[in-house]
Amino acid sequence: MDALRQQLGETQGALHEKIFQARQLRVDLGNAQNMLTNAQNELAREKEMSQGKQQLLEGEIMRLRQINQVLEASAKKSKSPAQGNRQQGGNGTLVVNLEDDRVIITRSRMMEADAMYNKVIEELAEKTQLYETLVKTTNQLAEEAKLRDSLQKTTELQLSEKDKLCDTLQRQLQAQVQAQNGGKIEALSGVKITNGDVINLWGQLRAHIRAISIESLHAVNTETMSDAAKREFEQLSENWPAYMLTKDLTCYIFRAVIWRYLDSNMLSQYCRAYGRDFSSAAKKVQETIAAGVSESDYHDWRARTGVLLHEACKPDLAIQSELTQTLLEILRPYTSRTEDVLKGQLAKIVKLATRLGAMLTGGRFYAVLMSDMPDSNRMNGFTLNMATMDVKGRLGGGDDGENGETVENVEDLIVDLMISPCLLTKKEGNWNVLVKSEIIWRKDA
């Protein structure tokens, strides 16, 4: 049964990853379509200009040919002032007197006009072919977009079916365990929620935060920022203006803002997913139990209580709405998207964070750490710890492209920005790292 649940968890993670990839492809498709539209408009303008040049040249050639016909006709007639006369000028110039008008034409001009006409015809044909190719490519991309949308709908349907199957299996497992233990709930501790479940949901939350930081948020001129906005970033790093000025690092400071609020308002608050009042009361009970029993008994109590809360309580919608609105007000100045779009993205992130907060309450003893150590408020300025941290880049030295950076001699390296927290679990008195934090480092001055 555990193997099946683990398989289902892995399947859910893979399906969520496909959904994220499909959304990213849709964004890339939109950008490509915009580029194609601009190219099509430019080609259409060039085609129109070429057609205009063609008409002008056709008129010029027509005029020159008419003159040439007149010259040939006049050559056959006797030379007289009334009929006109033709004589050879210098440098191959043809001078023709027709009654009272005098026309001077060079033969090279005729050849030049023909060459220009042929060149315009060739350019027009090439641009017409390129235009038709771009139209064909646009149609192909539109068909691919339809296929991706269909794939996403199918993937979401499969995910929903897997979720239902997982819930059904969990309920069956719960009923079997209760029957074997005379209806007692103690044996459910650690069965309902596993480390794999927590890590999977953590990964989904991290992916959504990464996506919004890249797709929807951008730097602004620091001189135009309000004092309150500057204080938000100062809490994360004293070098925050450098992140606004460095394109490859800008997304990281926005991720740090989102994670800090999720951590302080949801993930690190006991039972906060079920509401502020509920959390306050539960925290007092937790502190009382922790002070009166052994650590192992306290962990057992917390795990059993968490299972019951996860089964009996639903996440509080008011706390989700409040946190979403808080993040919206902070991040609104840094997006070019509409407020509804940004709010929708933030609402999904907060919903995932609320599910994760409920899961952390209902499983083993977990701790979310966005500082150098438990019960510390320091978010930067401490020595790099490779056991709990993943390096994403360095201040003043560029970015590693999301793949982690090899760091040697970490003794003199300082954490400048804590992008996301690490996730710890405690078992038999020992802390284990489930997910490392993401950081930006700088050298110690």
Side-chain angles (χ1 to χ4, degrees):
M1 187 64 71
D2 288 339
L4 178 59
R5 292 186 65 257
Q6 183 178 0
Q7 182 180 358
L8 289 172
E10 293 173 354
T11 302
Q12 288 176 328
L15 290 172
H16 280 293
E17 183 65 23
K18 287 182 180 179
I19 291 174
F20 174 75
Q21 291 175 356
R23 289 173 179 166
Q24 184 63 40
L25 286 172
R26 192 158 51 194
V27 172
D28 295 341
L29 174 62
N31 294 334
Q33 287 176 332
N34 289 336
M35 293 176 63
L36 285 172
T37 300
N38 293 335
Q40 289 173 353
N41 293 337
E42 182 65 23
L43 283 172
R45 286 193 294 269
E46 292 184 4
K47 181 179 179 181
E48 184 178 353
M49 292 174 61
S50 298
Q51 289 175 338
K53 290 180 180 179
Q54 180 185 354
Q55 292 176 356
L56 290 174
L57 288 172
E58 286 176 347
E60 178 70 10
I61 289 173
M62 182 69 70
R63 188 179 70 85
L64 293 174
R65 284 176 177 171
Q66 288 175 349
I67 293 174
N68 189 52
Q69 290 174 359
V70 172
L71 291 175
E72 290 177 352
S74 65
K76 297 177 181 179
K77 297 179 181 181
S78 60
K79 297 180 181 179
S80 67
Q83 295 293 329
N85 62 76
R86 175 181 177 185
Q87 55 185 328
Q88 186 72 29
N91 299 324
T93 302
L94 189 62
V95 181
V96 181
N97 292 313
L98 298 177
E99 296 182 354
D100 296 332
D101 294 328
R102 191 180 187 197
V103 179
I104 301 175
I105 305 171
T106 61
R107 298 188 182 278
S108 62
R109 174 58 180 158
M110 284 286 296
M111 296 175 63
E112 181 183 350
D114 283 331
M116 290 177 61
Y117 176 77
N118 293 330
K119 183 179 179 181
V120 170
I121 291 296
E122 291 174 359
E123 290 179 352
L124 181 60
E126 290 176 359
K127 291 183 179 189
T128 301
Q129 183 178 2
L130 179 58
Y131 178 80
E132 292 173 351
T133 301
L134 286 173
V135 171
K136 183 178 180 181
T137 303
T138 304
N139 294 334
Q140 291 176 347
L141 288 173
E143 290 298 325
E144 291 178 5
K146 291 180 181 179
L147 289 176
R148 291 193 188 100
D149 289 339
S150 177
L151 175 61
Q152 181 177 351
K153 291 179 181 178
T154 302
T155 302
E156 291 175 348
L157 179 61
Q158 292 174 348
L159 177 61
S160 177
E161 292 175 351
K162 293 289 185 182
D163 285 338
K164 292 178 182 178
L165 178 59
C166 186
D167 291 339
T168 301
L169 291 173
Q170 288 174 344
R171 284 194 295 269
Q172 292 175 356
L173 178 62
Q174 176 182 341
Q176 291 174 4
V177 172
Q178 285 180 333
Q180 292 173 2
N181 292 274
K184 295 182 179 180
I185 196 72
E186 285 83 351
L188 288 176
S189 178
V191 174
K192 181 69 176 178
I193 297 173
T194 66
N195 286 342
D197 297 328
V198 175
I199 293 173
N200 177 40
L201 189 55
W202 187 284
Q204 295 177 40
L205 179 59
R206 176 181 283 182
H208 276 75
I209 294 175
R210 177 183 182 276
I212 194 175
S213 71
I214 295 175
E215 298 171 7
S216 301
L217 301 174
H218 56 76
V220 298
N221 187 343
T222 57
E223 296 180 357
T224 64
M225 295 171 58
S226 66
D227 292 339
K230 293 178 181 178
R231 286 194 294 269
E232 289 288 346
F233 294 104
E234 287 172 353
Q235 297 180 58
L236 301 170
S237 171
E238 62 183 11
N239 300 306
W240 66 269
Y243 291 88
M244 287 290 183
L245 297 174
T246 307
K247 183 179 179 181
D248 291 337
L249 298 180
T250 302
C251 64
Y252 291 128
I253 200 161
F254 288 125
R255 292 185 215 180
V257 170
I258 297 173
W259 273 108
R260 183 176 78 84
Y261 272 87
L262 295 181
D263 174 53
S264 60
N265 291 276
M266 182 66 67
L267 302 180
S268 293
Q269 300 295 324
Y270 184 61
C271 292
R272 179 58 63 86
Y274 304 119
R276 194 180 302 278
D277 294 339
F278 190 103
S279 175
S280 179
K283 189 174 182 180
K284 292 179 180 179
V285 175
Q286 175 199 25
E287 292 172 351
T288 301
I289 298 295
V293 300
S294 66
E295 185 176 6
S296 61
D297 288 340
Y298 165 67
H299 288 167
D300 290 340
W301 168 83
R302 174 165 169 160
R304 291 195 300 269
T305 303
V307 171
L308 292 172
L309 290 174
H310 195 68
E311 288 290 328
C313 302
K314 294 182 179 180
D316 183 64
L317 297 179
I319 200 74
Q320 294 183 52
S321 178
E322 178 184 328
L323 184 52
T324 299
Q325 187 62 33
T326 298
L327 288 172
L328 178 64
E329 292 175 358
I330 293 171
L331 299 175
R332 185 188 290 117
Y334 313 103
T335 185
S336 57
R337 307 224 174 194
T338 64
E339 182 170 316
D340 289 341
V341 170
L342 181 62
K343 187 173 183 180
Q345 292 176 312
L346 292 173
K348 291 180 181 178
I349 290 174
V350 172
K351 185 176 181 180
L352 282 174
T354 305
R355 284 178 55 196
L356 180 61
M359 192 175 284
L360 296 179
T361 299
R364 304 179 183 184
F365 189 83
Y366 295 103
V368 178
L369 190 65
M370 201 165 182
S371 57
D372 56 337
M373 62 182 66
D375 300 322
S376 171
N377 293 324
R378 298 180 66 192
M379 298 181 66
N380 58 70
F382 44 85
T383 305
L384 183 66
N385 182 0
M386 297 303 294
T388 61
M389 301 175 186
D390 269 339
V391 173
K392 304 305 294 183
R394 65 185 183 276
L395 185 65
D399 172 53
D400 61 349
E402 295 286 342
N403 295 320
E405 183 168 328
T406 301
V407 178
E408 299 178 357
N409 301 324
V410 300
E411 292 81 5
D412 61 341
L413 302 184
I414 301 299
V415 175
D416 188 77
L417 177 68
M418 181 77 75
I419 302 169
S420 65
C422 68
L423 177 63
L424 306 172
T425 183
K426 197 170 189 179
K427 185 178 182 181
E428 298 178 354
N430 297 319
W431 286 103
N432 298 311
V433 179
L434 293 182
V435 182
K436 290 185 177 182
S437 60
E438 300 172 306
I439 64 101
I440 300 292
W441 62 269
R442 70 174 189 269
K443 283 193 175 182
D444 189 5

